[in-house]
């Protein structure tokens, strides 16, 4: 849960906000986020407000690196060739896909829970990007298709994700499913939090596998966004995992601490 | 899934076996594992065969360390005082609980999937124990109560498990639920793999929280073991997460590569 709050607050996917306490109210009013346009439009309109406190160009961890296998790189290149640039106004559109960036932490303005010390807050890192060694844990990149209301994640599972010998831990797969379905739900519905994940494990996934995580919108009912998900081999011939996910929209007031 | 295969193969919880390929057949026959006694008895009877290739005393990562908060230590001490020693024959019984050890990898005999290189195999580490820095990720210890067919895990969530700012990632919570429910299912039913996890996230969990993960047997139907799970504050006044888990028993032949 809560891995996917405030997806559209800025181009930086990680720029989410404190759940309790003061946090971003000094920077952005509630009305700024209550944008009447579509999620994607809102996504862009706020992107001009840079909240990254260290640099205007934080590192995007979903760029190719030397740990990527040829299979990982091939699938990435395929979707990247069908993507339009992540620019302010989206000119030079090449295809229906859009690559989303991925960072390794939330903004330093986040206040977190009452039990959270300043020290821990400063050291906090996103769970899926918390190991520096490239290729050791989660290597992934998410492409979203706005028209079709779905996304696909290319995921390479590193050797530190072990469950049974030589195979990926169920919790690591759950983590990626939460991440990818939450990314799509947030992209379509704005600020959300995970309410339910139901995961069927169909087949063991060897370490070092490259898989596709397909997520599609099932339906939106008021505050509830339902997402379906399948994890397959890159040629889609083998099914590893199936899942459904339910996300609940949260008001920006919730994010800024007006409710617990 | 597959985080919990072959729980009872030796006192060392991590001593599980290859899913594909040759692996342990040279060491242990299938009949050795097809023990007609209860799971706990089998657990002990095989414990005399040390499969740890590096040392007779691998490090138990569930021992107290300096990163544990006073709250974590207090709950640990409570259950530890009600536990009997993890000795060969269980003399000096103090109470109904039994502390389970926790290691950071599977045995080197594991063969893993066909895509798994020797290099990756040697570097593989259990997902929940893959970061060396104490207190940074998952600090946990599991106590099991055989008579009541339940277990409780004391879990302290480190700063590298972040989802929303200052809060624990839903995937990290799912990982602990898979780990704890799988530990209980394996303890009661022998070699199993996760078939389904269904998780309801009720309340956000701040980083640095210490929580209890309670798992109880719901029922066993032939090859299926159903476990229920609740994640609460240590005084059990606050409910963070509820879950159900289904595990399917797998034959030892499955583990040794007779089926994919």
């Amino acid at each position: 849960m809560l891995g996917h709050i405030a997806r559209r607050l800025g181009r930086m996917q990680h720029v989410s906000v404190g759940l309790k306490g003061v946090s971003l109210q000094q920077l952005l009013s509630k009305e700024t986020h209550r944008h009447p346009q579509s999620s994607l439009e809102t996504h862009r309109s706020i992107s001009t407000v840079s909240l990254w406190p260290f640099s205007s160009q934080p590192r995007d961890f979903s760029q190719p690196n030397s740990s990527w296998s040829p299979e990982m790189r091939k699938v990435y290149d395929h979707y990247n060739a069908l993507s339009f640039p992540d620019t302010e106004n989206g000119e030079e559109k090449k295809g229906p896909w859009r690559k989303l960036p991925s960072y390794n932490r939330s903004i330093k303005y986040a206040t977190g829970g009452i039990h959270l010390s300043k020290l821990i807050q400063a050291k906090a890192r996103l769970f899926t990007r918390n190991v520096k060694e490239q290729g050791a844990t989660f290597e992934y990149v998410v492409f979203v298709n706005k028209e079709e209301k779905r996304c696909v994640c290319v995921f390479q599972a590193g050797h530190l994700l072990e469950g049974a010998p030589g195979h990926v831990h169920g919790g690591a797969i759950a983590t990626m499913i939460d991440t990818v379905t939450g990314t799509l739900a947030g992209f379509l519905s704005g600020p959300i939090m995970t309410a339910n994940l139901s995961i069927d494990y169909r087949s063991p996934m060897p370490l070092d596998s490259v898989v596709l995580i397909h997520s599609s919108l099932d339906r939106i009912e008021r505050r509830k966004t339902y997402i379906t998900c399948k994890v397959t081999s890159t040629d889609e011939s083998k099914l590893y995992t199936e899942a459904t996910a339910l996300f609940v929209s949260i008001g920006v007031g919730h994010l800024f601490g007006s409710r617990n």
Side-chain angles (χ1 to χ4, degrees), chain A residues 190-209:
Chain A
I192 44 87
M193 57 182 281
T194 317
N196 174 267
L197 287 179
S198 184
I199 304 171
D200 288 316
Y201 296 98
R202 303 294 190 197
S203 185
M205 183 188 297
L207 288 179
D208 208 26
S209 291

Side-chain angles (χ1 to χ4, degrees), chain A residues 219-254:
Chain A
R219 65 191 189 279
I220 296 175
E221 295 175 355
R222 300 173 61 95
R223 294 178 59 225
K224 296 180 180 178
T225 301
Y226 296 84
I227 307 287
T228 60
C229 184
K230 282 188 181 184
V231 185
T232 71
S233 56
T234 55
D235 66 2
E236 303 187 31
S237 66
K238 185 173 183 69
L239 177 65
Y240 290 110
T241 318
E242 288 182 291
T244 61
L246 166 60
F247 297 89
V248 176
S249 293
I250 54 176
V252 174
H254 185 103

